[in-house]
Amino acid sequence: MKKNLQGALFLSTLLLAAQVSANEVSSADENNWSIGIGSYAFSIANDNDNSDEEDFTGFSLAAGYAFNNHFQIRATYFSLELDDYTDLKSKGVDLMAYGGVGFSKNGFRGYGGAGFYSDKWSSDYENNSFSGLQLGGGLGYNWGYLALDFVLNLRQADEYEDFMYDTGTYIALSGNLSVAYLF
């Protein structure tokens, strides 16, 4: 909880500090490249048993390229820890292609897309790798040199089902709140 609060305060401070300089950017200016940092969460849950779930939290680093104001590709690296007492860690990458608005020009950002994930869980006792397809979408705002985004991705969960204890249908969802520098 303390890490999440510190992350939220850090993002808020960056956002407020950059707002003054971002107002000087003309809306006609386009910034195609982006690099950012954020808070990342992942949860996998059994829709038949609410006690059979795993929740991870941690940080993310992202880089993207906007071909124009309506299409972007983005790679996100994440490093997470399980939220309970175990030493299970998750590290991986999301590769996404998004279509929408606001990728390279000032203003509202709204988008959806599809892509690929690769996730490696490791502990002192075992390692497991998962990969598959995912669908995602996000909302945010672009101030010219700074963008704030919240992204949700729905992962292909059948890869995780063999690792989980109970039978049933699983849902795998990740969320990412990030701030990015655009250039």
Side-chain angles (χ1 to χ4, degrees):
M1 179 70 177
K2 187 177 178 183
K3 289 181 185 178
N4 290 340
L5 182 59
Q6 290 173 340
L9 289 173
F10 175 71
L11 288 173
S12 298
T13 304
L14 281 176
L15 182 63
L16 291 173
Q19 188 172 1
V20 173
S21 64
N23 287 336
E24 298 173 7
V25 177
S26 166
S27 63
D29 291 339
E30 285 193 23
N31 295 309
N32 299 87
W33 291 95
S34 63
I35 187 164
I37 188 168
S39 177
Y40 196 103
F42 171 71
S43 182
I44 182 162
N46 188 329
D47 68 352
N48 296 328
D49 181 5
N50 61 1
S51 66
D52 186 23
E53 68 179 54
E54 302 292 347
D55 298 316
F56 293 84
T57 57
F59 76 93
S60 65
L61 299 172
Y65 181 77
F67 293 93
N68 55 44
N69 199 44
H70 303 288
F71 183 72
Q72 180 189 52
I73 56 171
R74 185 182 306 164
T76 304
Y77 167 80
F78 54 87
S79 178
L80 313 172
E81 293 182 359
L82 192 63
D83 287 346
D84 63 15
Y85 60 90
T86 66
D87 66 342
L88 188 61
K89 295 182 182 351
S90 168
K91 293 183 180 183
V93 65
D94 293 331
L95 301 172
M96 297 292 291
Y98 292 116
V101 296
F103 292 119
S104 63
K105 294 184 180 179
N106 290 2
F108 170 78
R109 295 165 70 109
Y111 47 90
F116 174 81
Y117 74 89
S118 178
D119 189 3
K120 182 177 181 182
W121 290 7
S122 61
S123 70
D124 291 339
Y125 306 105
E126 64 182 303
N127 293 319
N128 292 289
S129 294
F130 312 99
S131 60
L133 301 176
Q134 64 183 353
L135 298 174
L139 295 172
Y141 198 84
N142 181 345
W143 283 273
Y145 289 114
L146 185 72
L148 179 67
D149 287 288
F150 179 69
V151 176
L152 285 176
N153 291 325
L154 181 62
R155 292 182 180 175
Q156 181 182 358
D158 59 346
E159 289 284 325
Y160 294 101
E161 289 178 5
D162 294 336
F163 181 78
M164 303 304 284
Y165 301 109
D166 292 337
T167 60
T169 304
Y170 283 85
I171 298 169
L173 186 67
S174 67
N176 183 11
L177 177 64
S178 63
V179 62
Y181 174 71
L182 284 67
F183 55 98

